[in-house]
Amino acid sequence: QDMVRLIKHDRHAYRHDEWKSDLLYLKVVYNKSINSYVEIGYDEIMKSIIVSFRGTKYSNEKGFPDFKNILADLNIGEVDYKELCEKCKVHKGFLNCFQAIKEEVFNHIKELKEKYPSSPIIFSGHSYGGSLAVLASITYYKNVSQSFSAMFWNLLGIKEDISLITFGQPR
């Protein structure tokens, strides 16, 4: 059931204008310059904060080719990502897109964690969105979960529970 719900949330990120999301406190991060779209909200049935990244969108709202996602997909050079580790290398296009939306995504997660402090966070996405979800989940874990405030909550018995579930994501 949870997988079906996640697929529904990920699909909604593609078709957000066609039907209403059932996530509570839905926040949307849309970056027009890179054509990246993320939905963040609370799933009452799963009792989880959902962070759903949209995959590659090949056409814009007028039906014309939208090359922003395609160019990010094709920007395949590897770059250092020292925010994670000394020798970490990641896909340049995915990292550039993630860095453009990271702060806004993490701010929305922080807001929801204040409302639902013991709720797990599930990062999810399809295709290109799955790659962004990978970068988001490990960066969030490294920078937020390992912070001093997280250690304080751990002492109180509230541990950060982070999951990553992707569908058809590139390496």
Side-chain angles (χ1 to χ4, degrees), residues 68-79:
K68 294 170 189 166
N69 286 159
I70 297 166
L71 290 174
D73 284 345
L74 295 175
N75 193 357
I76 60 173
E78 287 184 343
V79 293

Side-chain angles (χ1 to χ4, degrees), residues 18-79:
E18 295 180 23
W19 68 78
K20 187 177 179 332
S21 172
D22 60 357
L23 290 175
L24 300 177
Y25 305 104
L26 178 67
K27 303 286 184 178
V28 171
V29 175
Y30 176 64
N31 185 311
K32 188 174 184 169
S33 68
I34 58 171
N35 192 18
S36 188
Y37 186 90
V38 187
E39 292 187 345
I40 305 149
Y42 182 74
D43 187 304
E44 202 168 33
I45 293 170
M46 295 174 70
K47 304 286 187 230
S48 300
I49 296 168
I50 307 296
V51 185
S52 182
F53 292 82
R54 185 191 70 204
T56 304
K57 190 155 185 188
Y58 293 103
S59 61
N60 63 23
E61 59 278 350
K62 295 179 182 174
F64 295 112
D66 190 330
F67 295 106
K68 294 170 189 166
N69 286 159
I70 297 166
L71 290 174
D73 284 345
L74 295 175
N75 193 357
I76 60 173
E78 287 184 343
V79 293

Side-chain angles (χ1 to χ4, degrees), residues 37-147:
Y37 186 90
V38 187
E39 292 187 345
I40 305 149
Y42 182 74
D43 187 304
E44 202 168 33
I45 293 170
M46 295 174 70
K47 304 286 187 230
S48 300
I49 296 168
I50 307 296
V51 185
S52 182
F53 292 82
R54 185 191 70 204
T56 304
K57 190 155 185 188
Y58 293 103
S59 61
N60 63 23
E61 59 278 350
K62 295 179 182 174
F64 295 112
D66 190 330
F67 295 106
K68 294 170 189 166
N69 286 159
I70 297 166
L71 290 174
D73 284 345
L74 295 175
N75 193 357
I76 60 173
E78 287 184 343
V79 293
D80 292 329
Y81 191 29
K82 294 185 188 219
E83 190 172 337
L84 293 180
C85 72
E86 199 58 36
K87 295 183 182 182
C88 288
K89 297 228 181 254
V90 298
H91 183 285
K92 185 177 182 180
F94 297 154
L95 182 61
N96 289 342
C97 291
F98 171 64
Q99 288 179 326
I101 59 174
K102 175 177 87 170
E103 187 175 331
E104 194 174 353
V105 168
F106 286 1
N107 285 339
H108 291 317
I109 293 171
K110 182 181 175 188
E111 288 174 24
L112 283 168
K113 282 303 280 184
E114 288 170 3
K115 281 186 182 301
Y116 305 101
S118 61
S119 292
I121 302 170
I122 301 173
F123 291 88
S124 184
H126 167 256
S127 185
Y128 159 83
S131 295
L132 297 179
V134 168
L135 290 172
S137 65
I138 57 178
T139 303
Y140 182 86
Y141 175 77
K142 178 89 173 168
N143 295 333
V144 178
S145 249
Q146 306 273 307
S147 69

